[in-house]
């Protein structure tokens, strides 16, 4: 019997290890524009995003946006957009990635309150879709093509 890992490896997917946190989230280490960071994998987030406080860290060029963000208990949050970024998760790399920039303070405050580490951003459905993502919850890994 073929395992999920064997099947996806044969189909040229990259296996990326996820960390399961105290807050029941999956986190992943990623490099954004060559700089390492920590991101929550969130299938319910329509867009991948980075906190305003990490703009300089990842050398992001921010443009104003008319879109208001909502999520994790906050609504009508000011956003900016950063285009033409390079995202790397283990050996999987994608160029020309657009990211929503907004204040992640409320997210990180909640994580720290539950004794988890703060994150730099969120990997959302846009990236997961581009990578034809398969999540193996039991083995705590993400496959991207």
């Amino acid at each position: 019997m073929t395992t999920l890992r064997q099947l996806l490896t044969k189909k040229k997917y990259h296996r990326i290890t996820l960390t399961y946190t105290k807050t029941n989230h999956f986190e992943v280490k990623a490099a954004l524009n060559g700089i390492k960071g920590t991101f929550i994998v969130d299938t319910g987030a329509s867009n991948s995003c980075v906190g305003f406080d990490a703009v300089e860290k990842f050398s992001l060029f921010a443009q104003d946006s008319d879109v208001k963000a909502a999520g994790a208990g906050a609504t009508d949050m000011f956003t900016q957009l950063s285009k033409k970024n390079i995202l790397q998760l283990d050996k999987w790399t994608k160029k020309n990635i657009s990211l929503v920039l907004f204040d992640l303070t409320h997210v990180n405050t909640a994580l720290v309150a539950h004794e988890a580490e703060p994150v730099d951003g969120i990997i959302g459905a846009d990236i997961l879709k581009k990578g034809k993502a398969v999540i193996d919850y039991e083995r705590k890994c993400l496959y991207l093509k």
Side-chain angles (χ1 to χ4, degrees), residues 47 55 57 86 95 107 111 143-144:
N47 294 295
V55 168
K57 174 180 178 176
I86 301 170
K95 296 179 181 177
V107 172
L111 290 172
Y143 293 91
L144 295 172

Side-chain angles (χ1 to χ4, degrees), residues 80-132:
Q80 291 184 309
L81 187 62
S82 178
K83 297 179 180 179
K84 298 183 181 177
N85 296 290
I86 301 170
L87 181 65
Q88 183 174 1
L89 287 87
D90 198 32
K91 294 178 183 173
W92 183 86
T93 302
K94 204 66 159 176
K95 296 179 181 177
N96 205 24
I97 295 293
S98 292
L99 299 164
V100 174
L101 310 175
F102 74 104
D103 186 358
L104 282 178
T105 303
H106 65 287
V107 172
N108 282 324
T109 298
L111 290 172
V112 170
H114 288 88
E115 299 177 5
E117 295 296 316
V119 296
D120 296 302
I122 297 168
I123 302 295
D126 56 340
I127 299 295
L128 298 173
K129 186 176 177 183
K130 284 180 185 178
K132 300 179 181 179

Side-chain angles (χ1 to χ4, degrees), residues 63-77:
Q63 301 172 315
D64 286 339
S65 170
D66 292 332
V67 177
K68 298 290 182 185
T75 59
D76 268 352
M77 295 181 290

